[in-house]
Amino acid sequence: QAGWYLDDARELADAAPYTFYLPSAEVLQMLQPGDSVKLVFRCDVENEHGYSAERMWVEITEIEGDEFRGRLDNEPLYIPGLAADDEITFSSYHVIDTQLDDPVPNIASQYWQRCFVTGRVLYDEQPVGCLYREDPAASDGAPEDFSGWNLIAGDEDDDYLDEPDNWHYVALGAVLNIDDRYIDLLEAPYDSEFEYDEDRQAFVEILEDEYD
């Protein structure tokens, strides 16, 4: 298999635990010849488009313990030395998806709802310093998948926060991948606000009368 290799799905899940779906051991044990699984094929050299990996389906032809053999069911666009119908050997830890229903709930599916987050957190990867939840029903035109949460680093000034381009609409899981210290607060009711207290090393709730 010169020119390409397979990603380890466990490493991908470790890097993005709240957004990457990792098939459970139970669904992997259900696989039979004829089923299809998705693998990540990667090469060391980027092509002219800047791509170095492709997610493609493989139809299983043989299973022996934790080892699989299958037939590539896609036509590669970017991976050199690989073509549709090529024989692929792989292990269960290479599988990133199956066509079977997974009987085990996955953490990535729990945080699919979206939030607004500043670029200081999302791109500069600063920890969340403040988060507040608004009622989507009270906002005209709020998307159906809006959780109500808004997350900021806490060092943004008013000019930064007033600039729409500095806000990004993403899944809660994408922010949790960066900082998950507040995960237990996400079920808080609307109109809740929390701020990280460096002295206590914890988030504390901000109450309305504290502003009076």
Side-chain angles (χ1 to χ4, degrees):
Q1 55 182 51
W4 61 270
Y5 59 94
L6 296 172
D7 272 351
D8 187 328
R10 300 167 298 184
E11 295 178 0
L12 298 175
D14 285 344
Y18 295 102
T19 52
F20 186 86
Y21 164 68
L22 184 67
S24 69
E26 286 81 355
V27 76
L28 293 175
Q29 291 172 358
M30 293 164 58
L31 292 170
Q32 300 291 332
D35 291 333
S36 292
V37 295
K38 186 176 286 187
L39 315 178
V40 179
F41 295 79
R42 188 175 297 275
C43 59
D44 292 323
V45 181
E46 294 183 352
N47 64 15
E48 65 273 17
H49 300 287
Y51 302 136
S52 61
E54 289 185 69
R55 299 184 177 202
M56 292 184 282
W57 290 98
V58 172
E59 182 181 342
I60 298 171
T61 55
E62 295 180 43
I63 302 176
E64 185 173 342
D66 193 44
E67 299 303 311
F68 296 75
R69 183 173 286 108
R71 178 189 65 83
L72 184 61
D73 203 22
N74 292 113
E75 186 64 56
L77 298 176
Y78 312 113
I79 305 299
L82 192 62
D85 291 325
D86 277 358
E87 182 177 90
I88 309 296
T89 57
F90 59 98
S91 299
S92 62
Y93 58 80
H94 293 121
V95 177
I96 66 165
D97 201 1
T98 78
Q99 292 184 320
L100 305 177
D101 290 331
D102 198 326
V104 179
N106 188 271
I107 192 171
S109 65
Q110 299 177 35
Y111 300 104
W112 62 269
Q113 279 196 302
R114 292 180 171 254
C115 63
F116 285 103
V117 60
T118 65
R120 285 288 291 150
V121 175
L122 188 64
Y123 295 119
D124 297 339
E125 297 191 349
Q126 294 299 303
V128 172
C130 180
L131 61 160
Y132 59 94
R133 192 177 196 187
E134 59 186 297
D135 185 351
S139 302
D140 291 337
E144 291 185 1
D145 57 359
F146 181 36
S147 66
W149 283 110
N150 300 266
L151 303 98
I152 66 176
D155 60 2
E156 303 92 337
D157 59 24
D158 289 342
D159 289 339
Y160 183 98
L161 295 174
D162 288 340
E163 174 53 57
D165 288 344
N166 291 329
W167 288 92
H168 307 277
Y169 190 61
V170 300
L172 281 166
V175 189
L176 288 168
N177 284 337
I178 300 167
D179 176 19
D180 65 358
R181 297 174 301 168
Y182 52 89
I183 189 169
D184 293 336
L185 305 176
L186 293 178
E187 295 300 321
Y190 299 132
D191 298 323
S192 294
E193 182 172 1
F194 302 90
E195 190 173 74
Y196 192 74
D197 187 311
E198 292 290 350
D199 293 332
R200 301 186 198 180
Q201 293 290 292
F203 282 94
V204 296
E205 186 169 8
I206 306 300
L207 304 176
E208 287 188 16
D209 58 7
E210 294 184 27
Y211 295 103
D212 296 338

